């Protein structure tokens, strides 16, 4: 419940072939709202319990980092920084800065997703590839979207570089974190809600994940993905997510997604990460569920967060894409720093 008004998470989508469900009226920018104390009821899988943590301790580094063979391909990780392409209000252009950080240019806006320009984040080794775009080479940032509050997606050091008037679009319950840091235009949204900035809509959609930043704030804020765009083009940014039923629901409510930015890494071991991070095969299934036109993979080749070999996400993605019979030109497997323009 938000502002005393229940959010219907199970409202029926439009039947196939009958057009999209009614899109919500955009919420006011910068609106200060009341939220429940916990969003644990939105979890689609239980969080790891004592047994899982005990197993993690027993397996030690083998459960969280590749062995020497898995790290051998670090020099092969794709890194090809280049200038940002020209973009006008009729252009959709994306540049992968690394991990889940994108420069999305849509409807005349420059939008950053989960910006992490730091060399390292709390609790992880340093980046294994540099940031794909230098901060000083960015055009003026019109807006930022945040998927959830984990440190590899919400980086305080990077956000401090932004003007405090930058419009921020964040999950429900996370606005206070930004307002404490003196950001003045923070819009918190619940699942299936939207806001609008200069003709571009920002729709917050569900994900199979969770939130936690300190020892005492588990699931105190929401998590999700974003659909960005105007009446012509739409980009889906998945954030962090496992595989599940939400992708078909997103497709029902947001048909005709042009580009899906999908996570393919940080998935092993599956007993630990399977509920919250898609592996490459699941990312392809999710892309198909979404009915999107083009997919660009992310959430790999930047930080070593899990135990799969560092090049395996891309290798498995190519195999899954071919097995699904999808056209190769609909897969934008960009190098860190590379850009692509949606024709």
């Amino acid at each position: 419940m938000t502002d005393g008004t229940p959010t219907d998470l199970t409202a029926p989508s439009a039947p196939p072939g009958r057009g999209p469900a009614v899109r919500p009226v955009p919420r006011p920018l910068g609106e200060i709202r009341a939220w429940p104390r916990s969003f644990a009821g939105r979890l689609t899988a239980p969080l790891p319990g004592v047994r899982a943590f005990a197993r993690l301790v027993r397996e030690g580094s083998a459960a969280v980092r590749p062995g020497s063979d898995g790290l051998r391909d670090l020099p092969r990780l794709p890194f090809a920084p280049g200038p940002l392409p020209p973009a006008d209000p009729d252009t959709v252009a994306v540049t992968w800065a690394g991990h889940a950080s994108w420069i999305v240019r849509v409807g005349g806006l420059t939008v950053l997703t989960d910006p992490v320009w730091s060399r390292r984040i709390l609790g992880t080794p340093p980046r294994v590839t540099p940031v794909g775009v230098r901060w000083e080479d960015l055009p003026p940032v019109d807006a930022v979207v945040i998927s959830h509050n984990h440190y590899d997606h919400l980086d305080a050091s990077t956000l401090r570089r932004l003007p405090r008037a930058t419009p921020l679009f964040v999950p429900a319950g996370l606005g206070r974190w930004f307002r404490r840091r003196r950001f003045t235009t923070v819009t918190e949204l619940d699942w299936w809600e939207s806001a609008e900035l200069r003709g571009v809509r920002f729709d917050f959609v569900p994900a199979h994940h969770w939130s936690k930043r300190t020892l005492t704030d588990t699931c105190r804020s929401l998590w999700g993905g974003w659909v960005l765009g105007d009446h012509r083009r739409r980009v889906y940014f998945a954030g962090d997510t496992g595989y599940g039923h939400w992708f078909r629901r997103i497709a029902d409510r947001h048909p005709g997604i042009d580009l899906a930015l999908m996570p393919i890494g940080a998935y092993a071991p599956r007993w630990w990460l399977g509920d919250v991070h898609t592996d490459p095969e699941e990312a392809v299934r999710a892309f198909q569920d979404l009915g999107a036109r083009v997919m660009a993979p992310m959430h790999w080749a930047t930080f070593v967060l899990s135990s799969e070999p560092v090049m395996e996400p891309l290798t498995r993605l190519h195999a899954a894409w071919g097995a699904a019979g999808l056209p190769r030109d609909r897969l934008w497997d960009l190098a860190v720093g590379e850009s692509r323009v949606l024709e």
Side-chain angles (χ1 to χ4, degrees):
M1 182 173 290
T2 63
D3 296 343
T5 304
T7 298
D8 185 358
L9 303 178
T10 59
S13 305
R18 298 188 186 180
V22 176
R23 302 185 76 185
V25 175
R27 305 286 307 200
L29 293 177
E31 179 183 23
I32 297 178
R33 307 171 65 177
W35 300 105
R37 182 172 174 80
S38 174
F39 292 92
R42 306 287 186 90
L43 293 168
T44 48
L47 295 178
V50 174
R51 290 185 178 181
F53 279 101
R55 181 175 177 181
L56 189 68
V57 170
R58 287 197 308 271
E59 295 191 7
S61 62
V64 296
R65 187 170 174 81
S68 56
D69 286 348
L71 294 171
R72 182 173 49 202
D73 286 330
L74 282 174
R76 295 180 55 211
L77 291 174
F79 179 70
L84 273 64
D88 57 38
D90 296 322
T91 298
V92 173
V94 294
T95 304
W96 189 31
H99 202 52
S101 302
W102 293 84
I103 300 103
V104 178
R105 302 165 83 188
V106 59
L109 300 185
T110 296
V111 181
L112 302 185
T113 70
D114 289 359
V116 178
W117 259 250
S118 298
R119 181 173 176 267
R120 69 182 308 154
I121 52 176
L122 185 67
T124 68
R127 304 177 79 104
V128 292
T129 51
V131 183
V133 180
R134 298 188 311 165
W135 187 264
E136 53 268 32
D137 292 337
L138 289 173
V141 175
D142 297 298
V144 172
V145 298
I146 301 294
S147 64
H148 65 298
N149 71 353
H150 288 159
Y151 282 89
D152 59 321
H153 293 258
L154 176 58
D155 180 46
S157 296
T158 300
L159 292 166
R160 278 197 292 268
R161 304 184 184 194
L162 291 167
R164 294 305 183 266
T166 304
L168 306 174
F169 298 87
V170 308
L174 199 51
R176 183 180 300 177
W177 188 93
F178 289 92
R179 287 190 289 270
R180 284 201 305 263
R181 288 156 179 81
R182 300 183 181 179
F183 286 97
T184 59
T185 309
V186 184
T187 304
E188 297 174 88
L189 296 179
D190 203 341
W191 288 347
W192 307 125
E193 291 184 337
S194 70
E196 190 170 301
L197 177 67
R198 287 159 37 193
V200 175
R201 283 181 65 106
F202 295 73
D203 286 87
F204 191 50
V205 296
H208 300 271
H209 205 61
W210 65 304
S211 69
K212 183 180 181 69
R213 196 167 177 88
T214 71
L215 294 175
T216 60
D217 69 347
T218 303
C219 296
R220 293 283 180 87
S221 61
L222 199 50
W223 51 91
W226 293 91
V227 178
L228 315 174
D230 54 21
H231 64 281
R232 294 162 292 187
R233 297 287 174 86
R234 279 182 283 183
V235 177
Y236 167 67
F237 168 65
D240 236 353
T241 183
Y243 180 76
H245 68 290
W246 285 128
F247 297 104
R248 291 185 184 275
R249 293 288 302 277
I250 293 167
D252 288 344
R253 292 183 181 231
H254 297 280
I257 291 171
D258 293 284
L259 172 62
L261 309 176
M262 300 295 300
I264 65 166
Y267 54 78
R270 298 309 283 155
W271 64 264
W272 179 249
L273 295 169
D275 292 327
V276 293
H277 287 170
T278 51
D279 63 23
E281 294 79 10
E282 290 169 334
V284 172
R285 288 171 60 192
F287 168 76
Q288 293 176 297
D289 291 348
L290 288 164
R293 183 156 64 97
V294 177
M295 171 178 158
M298 63 174 183
H299 209 261
W300 80 287
T302 308
F303 297 105
V304 178
L305 302 176
S306 53
S307 64
E308 74 271 6
V310 294
M311 281 296 295
E312 184 183 277
L314 187 63
T315 302
R316 285 176 55 173
L317 174 64
H318 286 164
W321 195 265
L326 294 166
R328 184 63 178 85
D329 62 356
R330 291 174 58 192
L331 177 62
W332 291 359
D333 45 344
L334 304 185
V336 175
E338 190 176 359
S339 301
R340 196 70 62 90
V341 177
L342 194 65
E343 298 295 341

